Amino acid sequence: MSHLIHRPRRLRRTPALRALVRETRLAREDLILPLFACPGQNVRREIGSMPGVHNLSVDEIAKEAAAAYDLGVSGVILFGLPETKDEAASGAYADKGIVQQAVRAIRHSVPEMIVINDTCLCEYTSHGHCGVVRDNEVLNEESLELLARTAVSQAEAGADIVAPSAMMDGQVGAIREALDDAGFENVAIMSYAVKFASAFYGPFREAADSAPAFGDRRAYQMDSANAREAIREAELDYSEGADILMVKPATVYLDILKTVRDRFDLPLAAYHVSGEYSTIKAAAQKGWIDEQRVMMETLTSIRRAGADIILTYYAREAIKALRNRGQ
Ligand code: PBG
């Protein structure tokens, strides 16, 4: 009989032993739930390609946030579907804009909730691009001005954190300066530093009604083949004053997450995006996979690769699963 000294199976024998040597843990505090605010009253409209996710009117979003908080969710990120859209994205920085109303309502219903605002223009522009368009081109500096205005109006409404996601060059610096000038030096910036042009955003564009009317976002979001460029993007946002860096999407970019983790000491977020959520949901609805186990395995892999914070439509379900395990 062979004499084995090393038997890794010794520590896999029981649930307690496995828990004792587990290297990565998910915690409810790591999870941020995205919510979508829309006009109207008593509106709760499920998104076809994202079962369990809804467009919510302001009254409903306040209730949804309160219920999520009671369940253990400590932070939300808000997106808005404005009544009307225009070339200047005026709904993005209107004092009574849809997202500004949603922030105020959540601040009122759950004062302890961490409120993050996605800072972008694509949900508010008539053409669906993330910036100002001229001659079919998205202009950088002109867009910065509107993004900065948007961030300030989100801060005025009560956001704790703004999260610029337009992938315009210099957006973190422009927003930091505008926030400071307006007296919001304590509002933090979670920058979508490494955001790839991804087909995994498909269902979100249904949820936020933000698909570009022409072309795509490849002239500003990153090419999915690039890893060195991700470091450069993270470096720029770090030097412009980002407080938290983000990589997005998450699961097909775990290598990027790991690299950014190893190179930067800022808190690191990963966005488990709409298409990542919907693919699990769809397979689960067909009965092909065990949804809860695939969800937990996926979120754990994102933590293992180095994310401190995970933005996920699964936040509530993951917290329930953690609770059932007694964590
Ligand atoms: C806004 C924005 C998008 C997402 C987050 N912020 C869409 C996009 O860039 O097209 C995607 C989130 C998701 O897919 O869940 N620019």
Side-chain angles (χ1 to χ4, degrees), residues 79 118 120 122-123 130 165 192 195 200-201 204-205 210 217 221 248 271-275 313:
F79 299 91
D118 183 82
C120 196
C122 61
E123 297 130 57
C130 302
S165 70
Y192 287 70
K195 178 172 177 181
F200 283 96
Y201 307 151
F204 173 94
R205 292 183 188 164
S210 65
R217 305 207 199 289
Q221 297 180 350
K248 176 188 174 198
Y271 200 139
H272 182 242
V273 303
S274 56
Y313 304 94

Side-chain angles (χ1 to χ4, degrees), residues 126-173:
S126 38
H127 45 68
H129 276 289
C130 302
V132 175
V133 168
R134 195 179 308 139
D135 299 331
N136 282 1
E137 213 181 296
V138 179
L139 307 176
N140 200 79
E141 268 73 346
E142 288 82 346
S143 303
L144 292 184
E145 216 170 288
L146 298 187
L147 288 165
R149 266 173 86 171
T150 302
V152 170
S153 93
Q154 293 169 340
E156 277 166 355
D160 297 298
I161 301 177
V162 295
S165 70
M167 288 300 277
M168 294 298 124
D169 293 336
Q171 62 182 9
V172 171

Side-chain angles (χ1 to χ4, degrees), residues 236-247:
L236 288 170
D237 286 10
Y238 180 92
S239 67
E240 289 174 30
D243 299 283
I244 301 172
L245 297 174
M246 192 204 294
V247 171

Side-chain angles (χ1 to χ4, degrees), residues 156-218:
E156 277 166 355
D160 297 298
I161 301 177
V162 295
S165 70
M167 288 300 277
M168 294 298 124
D169 293 336
Q171 62 182 9
V172 171
I175 287 172
R176 185 69 271 159
E177 192 183 332
L179 287 173
D180 291 356
D181 285 350
F184 294 112
E185 48 283 290
N186 286 327
V187 170
I189 299 178
M190 175 165 75
S191 110
Y192 287 70
V194 185
K195 178 172 177 181
F196 290 95
S198 171
F200 283 96
Y201 307 151
F204 173 94
R205 292 183 188 164
E206 182 195 343
D209 183 27
S210 65
F214 65 90
D216 53 37
R217 305 207 199 289
R218 286 173 218 234

